[in-house]
Amino acid sequence: MKALSKRSKTGFLPIPSYHSPLDVQQFLERELCTLGMEHAVVMILDPCQQPLVNFSIGFTAHQLSVYAHNQPHDVFLNHYLQNHMIGQFVYMQDMLPVKQIRDEIFLDVLVPTMQLYHSYSGLHPLLSRYHVMLSTHSYRKLSSKQHEKLVQLWLFLVSWGNAWVSNREVAEQWKKLSLEGLAWEQSLNLLTPSECAVLDLLTSGLDGSQIASSRGVSKETVRSQVKQVLHKTGCKHQNELIARYYSHRFPLPG
C-alpha cells in the first residue's frame, strides 16, 4: 500500500486506481483515525438486505456479537428508518437525544458496549436496489470542520458503492455471456459439414428453396438439415438461430 503513504493537497490519502473492499477499508481506517473516530461499520446490502460487503473498524468480535444479539433495540437505527431518513447522513444524538430514549437494553447494554456516545451514520440507496451503510462512533463530538470531512468520506463511499455494484453486475453478465458463447461454440462443433454449409447459407439470407438449389439437393433434405441444426444448437426456430449466430459472430465491443 505504498500508494497510500503520501497525502494529497485535499488532506486525503490518494485512492488506489481499483477500489476493492480491502482498499476502501484501509483508506477509511486511516482517514477516520485522523478525525478521532474510534469505531465504524461499513456494509453494502443487496436487494434482500443481505450484506455482501461487511467490515468493521475498531470493534471487537465480542462487541459485534452483542450488537447482533440486541439489534432490534438499536433505537437510533429504528428512529432513522421509521422517519424515512434513508439517504441522509446524520449525527444520531441530534436526531434523537439520548435523554428521550427509554429502551433499557439500548441504554444499559448497547451504549456502553458499543460506545455509542457520538454517532454519525447513514444508509444510502445504490444502483439496482442495493444500499450502502456507514456507521461511525467517537468519544467526542466532531468539530464542524471534522464533520464536513466525514461527510466527504460518506459521499465517496456512496460513489464507491455504486461503482462496486456496477462492477459486480458487469462481472455477472460477462460470465453469463461467456458461458453462452462457450455453449454456442460447442454446439457448432456437433454440426456436420453439410449442416454447417446450410447454416452459412441460411444466415446469409437464403430461404429453403434457394439453399436446395444452391446445394443441388431437395427441399426435404434442406428441411431435415435445418431441423438438425436447430436441435443441436438448442434453438426453437430459425429466427432464434439467426439471432444467436450473429450475436456470437459479432459481439459487442468490450
Side-chain angles (χ1 to χ4, degrees), residues 200-229:
D200 286 338
L201 293 171
L202 186 64
T203 54
S204 296
L206 276 63
D207 60 23
S209 298
Q210 292 170 321
I211 294 174
S213 175
S214 174
R215 290 184 50 76
V217 298
S218 67
K219 289 195 295 185
E220 287 73 19
T221 298
V222 172
R223 188 179 299 113
S224 175
Q225 290 173 330
V226 170
K227 286 183 179 179
Q228 283 300 309
V229 172

Side-chain angles (χ1 to χ4, degrees), residues 22-247:
L22 179 59
D23 290 329
V24 172
Q25 179 177 353
Q26 293 175 336
F27 169 72
L28 287 178
E29 190 166 3
R30 287 172 170 82
E31 293 303 323
L32 292 174
C33 181
T34 67
L35 298 176
M37 306 300 294
E38 291 83 5
H39 304 91
V41 173
V42 175
M43 291 186 185
I44 291 183
L45 306 169
D46 69 11
C48 296
Q49 301 304 305
Q50 297 300 311
L52 300 183
V53 172
N54 184 3
F55 60 82
S56 65
I57 297 170
F59 286 116
T60 66
H62 171 71
Q63 287 175 303
L64 296 174
S65 176
V66 169
Y67 179 80
H69 182 72
N70 295 282
Q71 185 176 1
H73 294 277
D74 187 342
V75 178
F76 283 156
L77 177 61
N78 293 336
H79 185 87
Y80 181 92
L81 295 175
Q82 290 168 5
N83 286 273
H84 310 290
M85 301 180 71
I86 292 178
Q88 300 181 47
F89 190 73
V90 300
Y91 175 44
M92 292 298 188
Q93 282 75 11
D94 274 350
M95 176 194 72
L96 181 63
V98 175
K99 63 182 180 181
Q100 297 180 14
I101 298 174
R102 298 293 179 264
D103 188 304
E104 293 183 358
I105 292 180
F106 179 82
L107 295 174
D108 298 337
V109 178
L110 288 180
V111 169
T113 300
M114 304 303 293
Q115 301 173 2
L116 306 179
Y117 303 118
H118 296 280
S119 305
Y120 300 79
S121 305
L123 181 68
H124 200 287
L126 301 175
L127 298 170
S128 303
R129 297 174 52 236
Y130 285 70
H131 287 80
V132 62
M133 184 202 76
L134 172 63
S135 183
T136 61
H137 311 278
S138 175
Y139 290 111
R140 61 186 181 281
K141 187 175 181 179
L142 299 182
S143 67
S144 58
K145 186 175 182 180
Q146 289 174 320
H147 183 264
E148 180 181 348
K149 185 173 181 180
L150 183 59
V151 171
Q152 291 176 349
L153 290 172
W154 160 248
L155 294 176
F156 157 75
L157 196 60
V158 172
S159 297
W160 171 77
N162 277 318
W164 186 90
V165 171
S166 179
N167 287 336
R168 174 184 171 85
E169 293 186 339
V170 167
E172 289 177 347
Q173 291 299 320
W174 181 266
K175 180 179 179 180
K176 179 181 177 181
L177 290 172
S178 296
L179 291 175
E180 289 178 352
L182 178 61
W184 172 257
E185 293 298 327
Q186 291 175 339
S187 69
L188 293 184
N189 291 333
L190 299 176
L191 301 183
T192 66
S194 294
E195 290 166 352
C196 287
V198 169
L199 176 59
D200 286 338
L201 293 171
L202 186 64
T203 54
S204 296
L206 276 63
D207 60 23
S209 298
Q210 292 170 321
I211 294 174
S213 175
S214 174
R215 290 184 50 76
V217 298
S218 67
K219 289 195 295 185
E220 287 73 19
T221 298
V222 172
R223 188 179 299 113
S224 175
Q225 290 173 330
V226 170
K227 286 183 179 179
Q228 283 300 309
V229 172
L230 292 174
H231 173 71
K232 291 179 179 179
T233 58
C235 297
K236 296 180 180 179
H237 45 71
Q238 292 185 25
N239 287 341
E240 181 183 355
L241 175 65
I242 294 171
R244 288 187 62 187
Y245 176 87
Y246 281 104
S247 67

